Amino acid sequence: MDDQGVRRRRFLGAAAAAGAGVVGLGALAGCDSTAPAPGGAASSHAAGQAVRDSVLTAQQAEQARPGNADWRLGPTGPQQAIEGYTDQVSVLRGEHFALHASTTAPGFTVSAYRVGWYGGTQARLVWRSARIAGRLQPAVGPDGSTRTVSTGWEPTISVDTADWPEGAYLLRLDAEDGHQRYVPMIVRSASAAGRTLLMHGAATWQAYNVWGGYSLYQGESGAYATRSLAVSFDRPYDGSGADKFLVYERALVVLAERLGIPLAYTTGLDVHRQPEVLHGATALLSLGHDEYWTPQQRAAVTAARDAGSNIAFLGANTCFRRIRIEDDARTVVCYKTDYQADPLYGRDDPAVTTDFRAEPSPDPESSLTGVIYEGYPTDAPYLVHAADHWLYAGTGVRAGDSFPHLIGVEYDRVTPSYPTPRPIEILAHSPLVCEGRSSHSDSAYYTVPGGAGVFASGTMRWVEGLMAGTHDDGSDHLMDARTGAFVTRTTENLLTAFAKGPAGHHLPAPRDNVAQVYS
């Protein structure tokens, strides 16, 4: 199982690099294993509508501005050629952040691109620095019993975001020798009232980051046993610098902005620290790979759901790992299978960092997501079951229609032996084989008494599917343009419906079909 966890990290890292198209688990479940913050939209409809109108006006003005097609990355060169990180994962508009950069080139510039639709160019240049003198900052190794890599680099430049609209940004570092690399940054929203909130999975980005030879999956030797038990944001990301964002999040940002629904931006870490951002949100979007959550983040999202905020889980393996954040949210802690070594073990078991479903304080994620993570790796067609569901309106699908390769590389399913909200409707039921064993992936939809609707795609490739058949898809999963059109229209239906308020109040109720599907 430990070796499987390492292979999983390597596979997902390779898939991310391929999907980014630079130009353009410890123990896993078996494949056939059958004090919350207030939130929501129902109690703040009037105020929410005023906010929606104001936000829409600002968003329309922003999207009317011309984009810049040159945002895509050129050659990255060796890791040391140009790389960097920011001293904060996110900022509010008008706040400053520090960029810590290192390069072998004599100089470089920084360009900040805001991701959006922009008439199809998909990003706009918001700011560009003057020339900055290059400096190669020192190499570092793991520190302490947790084998944490943290650079301690000197700051290179302080950046003012006074003129930066809320949103997801790619900072592109352009070295004078032609090498480039990204640094992600979120300009977050103080409130999501009346808006659809995109929750970026920064903790998951960092968990898989192997910069300096260590991640939560492996040590420098590649072995699971020598992995980090805590990882730091005070280091660059490996690869392009933003692989997880590019593959599992960017396409959803572009689509949501094209639809013109009122949007807000945050990260899972910020939901942990400021759960009030969820108050009055019409919907919350968890993106393509959002595995690592704190208990506080989960409690806040659950409370928002119960108060009427719709939720979409647009990936798989969501909310699987229970983590702790330390050092003013600069460190992500997860002992996983070594949970007995966690300093909180036996003292505060619900805070021990391992899988949510695991001992010493099991709390399976399915009570929130409706589905349970089951396995890796797989590759299978997505098989439509409830073709008449409102989610599939306008797609032209019939029961039994399939979309090759849309299920993978990890998957979830409805498993009533775990806590599962009811009624719940299985919308797609896709046969697959994982590690030689037969099972299924499920897309599912349920509602709660407060009116919120909750959708789970059941596949990690959902957001990638938005790019299928385009020059951004990387062609690594062989998904075609037909699949891209299906995922796009289905996601459009989902986002526009959820943006109208509690789905249970204006859409047909889920038809519980679990017994029928699994009979």
Side-chain angles (χ1 to χ4, degrees):
M1 286 296 186
D2 293 350
D3 289 341
Q4 186 183 41
V6 174
R7 288 191 292 110
R8 175 175 176 265
R9 192 270 163 213
R10 288 172 177 161
F11 185 95
L12 294 175
V22 177
V23 294
L25 267 108
L28 296 179
C31 292
D32 62 346
S33 59
T34 55
S43 64
S44 55
H45 178 75
Q49 186 59 50
V51 171
R52 285 167 62 93
D53 294 343
S54 174
V55 169
L56 270 176
T57 298
Q59 283 185 195
Q60 290 166 353
E62 173 64 24
Q63 284 299 316
R65 305 185 71 166
N68 300 86
D70 66 345
W71 64 269
R72 288 179 173 83
L73 210 60
T76 59
Q79 187 72 44
Q80 284 190 322
I82 184 75
E83 56 187 344
Y85 64 89
T86 57
D87 68 341
Q88 299 176 73
V89 171
S90 72
V91 293
L92 293 170
R93 180 174 183 171
E95 293 182 339
H96 290 71
F97 65 85
L99 174 69
H100 303 245
S102 178
T103 181
T104 55
F108 69 100
T109 59
V110 185
S111 300
Y113 291 92
R114 183 183 182 276
V115 176
W117 174 239
Y118 299 108
T121 59
Q122 302 184 26
R124 179 176 77 84
L125 178 65
V126 172
W127 170 83
R128 177 168 285 156
S129 74
R131 181 186 184 273
I132 303 168
R135 174 187 179 188
L136 184 62
Q137 305 234 37
V140 296
D143 181 54
S145 61
T146 59
R147 298 179 289 275
T148 302
V149 177
S150 177
T151 70
W153 286 353
E154 293 294 323
T156 304
I157 185 175
S158 178
V159 181
D160 182 2
T161 65
D163 297 324
W164 297 25
E166 297 171 4
Y169 285 79
L170 290 167
L171 310 180
R172 197 181 68 201
L173 313 183
D174 298 324
E176 289 177 347
D177 60 7
H179 296 127
Q180 300 176 327
R181 192 162 268 108
Y182 287 133
V183 178
M185 169 55 66
I186 305 300
V187 178
R188 70 181 185 271
S189 308
S191 170
R195 299 192 257 177
T196 293
L197 180 63
L198 283 74
M199 184 174 65
H200 295 277
T204 301
W205 303 348
Q206 194 56 251
Y208 284 84
N209 180 19
V210 76
W211 190 94
Y214 289 80
S215 72
L216 289 181
Y217 290 84
Q218 66 182 74
E220 196 165 26
S221 67
Y224 175 79
T226 61
R227 73 196 185 281
S228 294
L229 303 176
V231 288
S232 173
F233 283 99
D234 291 329
R235 60 177 181 155
Y237 290 105
D238 62 353
S240 73
D243 290 347
K244 290 290 183 286
F245 171 79
L246 290 167
V247 173
Y248 296 113
E249 302 187 4
R250 186 189 67 83
L252 195 282
V253 175
V254 171
L255 174 63
E257 294 229 342
R258 177 173 65 79
L259 291 175
I261 59 177
L263 298 175
Y265 291 84
T266 195
T267 73
L269 298 174
D270 292 301
V271 170
H272 167 98
R273 301 176 78 189
Q274 292 104 24
E276 61 272 15
V277 70
L278 297 174
H279 296 183
T282 54
L284 171 67
L285 308 182
S286 168
L287 306 178
H289 193 183
D290 193 9
E291 180 178 349
Y292 288 77
W293 290 40
T294 69
Q296 294 88 341
Q297 176 189 356
R298 178 175 171 178
V301 171
T302 301
R305 176 203 66 180
D306 293 346
S309 296
N310 303 308
I311 305 177
F313 297 105
L314 300 175
N317 189 225
T318 301
C319 193
F320 180 64
R321 308 283 193 189
R322 180 194 288 123
I323 62 171
R324 184 167 63 252
I325 58 174
E326 298 178 347
D327 305 323
D328 198 24
R330 297 302 291 172
T331 301
V332 176
V333 180
C334 193
Y335 280 72
K336 297 187 182 178
T337 51
D338 290 331
Y339 63 85
Q340 291 181 338
D342 189 318
L344 296 186
Y345 179 71
R347 296 170 46 212
D348 186 5
D349 284 348
V352 169
T353 57
T354 183
D355 302 345
F356 268 105
R357 70 185 68 175
E359 296 293 346
S361 184
D363 185 14
E365 68 272 17
S366 54
S367 64
L368 173 61
T369 62
V371 293
I372 196 85
Y373 171 61
E374 192 173 79
Y376 154 92
T378 195
D379 178 273
Y382 182 94
L383 193 68
V384 174
H385 180 76
D388 61 342
H389 195 271
W390 59 264
L391 191 72
Y392 298 136
T395 64
V397 296
R398 299 180 180 181
D401 283 355
S402 66
F403 296 88
H405 308 293
L406 183 53
I407 301 299
V409 59
E410 300 185 275
Y411 70 95
D412 300 337
R413 61 174 280 178
V414 174
T415 308
S417 59
Y418 286 98
T420 304
R422 308 296 285 265
I424 187 167
E425 183 171 5
I426 295 174
L427 311 181
H429 186 58
S430 307
L432 56 84
V433 176
C434 174
E435 296 279 295
R437 303 167 74 179
S438 297
S439 190
H440 290 82
S441 165
D442 295 321
S443 289
Y445 173 73
Y446 76 87
T447 57
V448 295
V454 179
F455 168 77
S457 71
T459 173
M460 193 175 281
R461 291 181 183 161
W462 190 267
V463 174
E464 288 184 86
L466 295 170
M467 299 181 283
T470 75
H471 64 278
D472 286 318
D473 72 352
S475 298
D476 54 327
H477 301 313
L478 304 177
M479 293 185 288
D480 58 17
R482 172 177 170 269
T483 297
F486 165 74
V487 176
T488 297
R489 179 56 188 266
T490 302
T491 309
E492 290 172 349
N493 292 341
L494 177 70
L495 269 56
T496 54
F498 275 14
K500 295 176 182 178
H505 293 168
H506 65 91
L507 289 167
R511 304 161 294 190
D512 196 299
N513 59 354
V514 177
Q516 171 209 341
V517 170
Y518 277 102
S519 63

